[in-house]
Amino acid sequence: MKKRFYFFKLSFAMVFFTASAFAGLDWTYGSLNNPDNFHRYSTAVAYASTNVFVSGTEENSSGSTLIVTKKLSSTGTLSVSKTNTYVIPAGTVVHDFALSIALDASGNVYVLGSQFGSAARGQDIVLIKYNSSLSQQWKKLIYNTASTTTNFDDKPSKLLIDAGGNIYVAGSWSKPTLFGVQEIVVRKYDGAGALLFSRPVPQASGTVMGDATDMCIDNSLNITVCATSETAAGVKSIMYARISNTGSLTWKKFYASPATYTFIGKPQIETTAGGTVYFASSLDRAPVPNNHFARHMVVKLNSTGTKVWEKMTAEFNLWADNIALRIDANGNIYTGSDFAGPASGGYEKHRMYKRNSAGTLLWSYISPETSSFFRFETYAGSALFIISQKTNPVNPVLRKLDAATGNILWTENISYTTPPNYVNLYLSPSAIAVKASSSEVAYCGNMHAEIITPAGQEYRWMVKKYGATTPRLTDEADPASNKKTETSIHVFPNPANDKINITVEGFEYADREIIISGISGKIILQQTLLPADKNISLETQQLSPGLYTILIKSNAAISITKFLVAH
């Protein structure tokens, strides 16, 4: 029997898609078994040839939070755990944190974060080098020695390593001037820890510069750094600056937002090998309190910092957060962000966009569920891995997309069975890392639960590795959500004129739902399907010409396909 739907708008392309509803878990590190009330949070992960390195923080018996780095074996066994220890003044409780972790070609491990410097300085930026066995080689505390400001917390932003083993750090440090209290700083070290240059990027007259948000380097080792900026009159902009491979400030420019937008999201920046730069951010306006309108944007700059093109999405009645940007080897640009807003009062569905180097939109993607903490990484121009925090139920979701089409290849709902005597288990994601030589992916996040008797709390890291040659189901997850289910959607005719026909195969469960949306992400049709609904007819006469997305999901699988309306 064929079901027929009538609706008012729609658009998108592709005819066949196969999905597998689990990722293939190799191992899990971390468990709830020691209710000591100490806070522990993993924040960053890096993938070596066989090992996974994770950095984060752990609380000690004195109440101080220190940076901890762990090395996990190819089977998920803890090989080494190294705490960043130093002399802490008596009676002082410190709150250090790890921001990122990176590996060089020789397997050395670098951790960037924040460490207590002194009572006068507050927190300094810290860069630590370990060898592959996590023996510390050197440590650098980064702060402005010329500053007289007390208790100013310098902030790390980005850690990069070039092919020659040089290390780059971007951040913000204290700089009392006529125009503000801080400035951007970029430092370059060689592998032995020698400082090659330290380049401050001062604020412009009449502006207040925000924290550095991102940094990138091209094949000529030119560095581009970005930050938010604001004039005394409240005009928002993005500052982006080019620093040469010897530390000279080549240029510094500002992107001014349209007058109607009163907020710019934290920009992210990437560069091609030849020095072409892209930055992504969001523009937001709030005509009345608690009613935001936002647009996601990406801007292309040439090597002199001149704007080549600017692309924006349609305006959403939402505000954007957690901007992300990546470029693949073919010069394609991937951007995305979380969105939140008035519809639910909290986070909505995250969105992603792929464009070519000319700025042409190739596809857009909207998550099947509401979520927060959106992050993604690319693999060899063929795949994207997304991590986010699903809001209902609350658990991390790891998803793999086909980079060519934006279709979902598999979805993993990361979960953990609550042990006896524990309640209110909460899982949260931190980061993912993709192995360069394969599509294996490492995930790090955190677990928090309350203990009933005796009353207490437990905080633990959770690390998972996916992509084994012989995949197996997640031990802790609901078996139904990890059952391997081959699903497919056939759409014809495609392009469509007045009607399309959809054939659905492989969905075994009754709680199926079809969602159709336009290229902006606006949902045009959302309806539950009955088990007998295998063939569906959609009237398209009233739809505007263009691309549309069809998403069909159950508790076991998700499939997405796209079609084109061409009257």
Side-chain angles (χ1 to χ4, degrees):
M1 179 178 179
K2 181 178 288 188
K3 172 169 277 191
R4 177 165 291 182
F5 288 132
Y6 299 88
F7 54 96
F8 298 101
K9 276 211 172 190
L10 144 45
S11 152
F12 238 143
M14 236 57 247
V15 279
F16 180 79
F17 176 62
T18 301
S20 178
F22 71 90
L25 178 69
D26 251 359
W27 49 256
T28 298
Y29 167 80
S31 61
L32 295 171
N33 56 16
N34 182 23
D36 56 13
N37 292 302
F38 292 159
H39 289 70
R40 300 173 179 87
Y41 295 101
S42 69
T43 55
V45 61
Y47 211 144
S49 57
T50 57
N51 303 112
V52 173
F53 293 87
V54 186
S55 194
T57 57
E58 293 190 353
E59 184 182 11
N60 63 20
S61 57
S62 301
S64 288
T65 303
L66 301 175
I67 296 173
V68 176
T69 304
K70 298 179 185 289
K71 177 181 179 180
L72 304 175
S73 72
S74 59
T75 59
T77 302
L78 178 63
S79 300
V80 185
S81 180
K82 181 69 67 171
T83 301
N84 176 41
T85 57
Y86 56 96
V87 177
I88 300 173
T92 301
V93 176
V94 303
H95 300 283
D96 300 347
F97 67 86
L99 177 72
S100 58
I101 187 170
L103 310 177
D104 66 17
S106 300
N108 296 301
V109 182
Y110 298 85
V111 177
L112 178 67
S114 174
Q115 175 187 309
F116 177 78
S118 69
R121 297 199 309 267
Q123 294 291 122
D124 295 336
I125 299 169
V126 63
L127 173 64
I128 311 169
K129 178 181 179 180
Y130 299 102
N131 65 16
S132 59
S133 300
L134 292 187
S135 294
Q136 183 175 308
Q137 306 300 292
W138 47 258
K139 179 168 70 173
K140 305 295 178 181
L141 292 181
I142 302 172
Y143 59 95
N144 190 350
T145 57
S147 174
T148 59
T149 302
T150 59
N151 201 29
F152 184 90
D153 293 334
D154 302 320
K155 304 175 186 67
S157 171
K158 187 78 172 188
L159 168 65
L160 294 173
I161 303 173
D162 67 26
N166 298 304
I167 307 99
Y168 303 79
V169 173
S172 307
W173 69 10
S174 170
K175 178 65 174 179
T177 69
L178 178 64
F179 310 123
V181 296
Q182 70 178 26
E183 65 185 3
I184 308 306
V185 62
V186 175
R187 282 196 165 187
K188 180 178 180 179
Y189 296 89
D190 66 16
L195 179 64
L196 301 180
F197 67 73
S198 181
R199 167 52 59 187
V201 182
Q203 301 170 96
S205 175
T207 65
V208 175
M209 194 177 295
D211 298 335
T213 58
D214 205 2
M215 174 180 64
C216 56
I217 53 176
D218 62 25
N219 279 6
S220 298
L221 304 186
N222 296 304
I223 307 149
T224 311
V225 64
C226 64
T228 56
S229 181
E230 182 178 353
T231 69
V235 178
K236 305 293 194 301
S237 65
I238 294 172
M239 185 284 299
Y240 45 97
R242 171 65 56 85
I243 299 168
S244 73
N245 59 8
T246 58
S248 299
L249 182 61
T250 306
W251 46 256
K252 180 176 66 173
K253 299 189 178 184
F254 293 83
Y255 169 87
S257 66
T260 54
Y261 292 96
T262 56
F263 181 79
I264 295 181
K266 294 181 179 179
Q268 298 295 293
I269 197 164
E270 289 281 352
T271 182
T272 65
T276 299
V277 174
Y278 298 87
F279 68 80
S281 186
S282 62
L283 300 173
D284 178 89
R285 64 183 181 91
V288 296
N290 301 317
N291 190 13
H292 289 259
F293 293 84
R295 306 177 76 172
H296 188 87
M297 72 169 185
V298 59
V299 178
K300 179 179 181 178
L301 310 171
N302 64 20
S303 59
T304 65
T306 302
K307 184 170 69 175
V308 178
W309 51 250
E310 171 189 72
K311 302 295 180 181
M312 296 188 185
T313 65
E315 192 176 67
F316 302 104
N317 189 194
L318 304 165
W319 59 270
D321 193 15
N322 293 325
I323 310 296
L325 168 67
R326 293 290 184 269
I327 302 174
D328 67 22
N330 299 316
N332 297 304
I333 308 104
Y334 305 86
T335 62
S337 63
D338 284 324
F339 281 87
S344 67
Y347 277 97
E348 301 293 330
K349 299 179 178 182
H350 62 256
R351 292 166 166 83
M352 283 195 65
Y353 307 90
K354 178 182 179 179
R355 298 181 185 274
N356 61 21
S357 59
T360 303
L361 181 65
L362 302 180
W363 52 254
S364 66
Y365 160 85
I366 183 170
S367 62
E369 65 282 310
T370 58
S371 65
S372 62
F373 200 84
F374 164 81
R375 299 284 189 277
F376 76 91
E377 296 294 340
T378 59
Y379 168 68
S382 64
L384 303 172
F385 292 89
I386 299 173
I387 187 67
S388 63
Q389 179 83 331
K390 188 164 62 174
T391 57
N392 186 24
V394 178
N395 65 266
V397 174
L398 177 64
R399 183 165 287 138
K400 183 178 181 180
L401 302 187
D402 184 335
T405 63
N407 290 336
I408 297 173
L409 299 178
W410 50 250
T411 297
E412 175 82 340
N413 290 298
I414 296 173
S415 60
Y416 187 84
T417 301
T418 305
N421 200 40
Y422 285 77
V423 293
N424 297 328
L425 173 66
Y426 180 79
L427 306 182
S428 60
S430 292
I432 55 174
V434 182
K435 189 175 182 180
S437 60
S438 69
S439 60
E440 298 177 34
V441 60
Y443 157 90
C444 75
N446 301 286
M447 298 184 287
H448 169 221
E450 298 176 13
I451 300 96
I452 300 174
T453 306
Q457 300 186 66
E458 186 171 354
Y459 304 82
R460 295 287 168 184
W461 297 13
M462 174 186 276
V463 184
K464 289 177 175 284
K465 185 238 175 183
Y466 295 93
T469 304
T470 305
R472 56 187 182 274
L473 302 183
T474 305
D475 297 331
E476 304 91 342
D478 176 12
S481 68
N482 279 276
K483 183 176 180 179
K484 186 176 182 182
T485 306
E486 295 299 324
T487 62
S488 65
I489 304 173
H490 299 268
V491 178
F492 62 94
N494 190 11
N497 181 15
D498 58 351
K499 181 178 69 174
I500 60 169
N501 300 292
I502 304 172
T503 301
V504 182
E505 297 177 355
F507 285 87
E508 303 176 15
Y509 298 89
D511 60 337
R512 298 176 302 150
E513 185 178 36
I514 183 171
I515 300 172
I516 298 177
S517 58
I519 197 167
S520 68
K522 180 180 180 181
I523 294 177
I524 297 162
L525 174 72
Q526 184 170 3
Q527 187 163 330
T528 300
L529 297 177
L530 299 176
D533 294 334
K534 301 293 186 182
N535 298 295
I536 303 166
S537 177
L538 300 175
E539 303 292 338
T540 60
Q541 300 100 319
Q542 298 185 56
L543 297 180
S544 300
L547 291 170
Y548 294 83
T549 298
I550 301 173
L551 180 147
I552 297 178
K553 65 178 181 177
S554 71
N555 64 344
I558 296 174
S559 284
I560 293 180
T561 193
K562 304 172 185 180
F563 69 93
L564 181 70
V565 172
H567 298 309

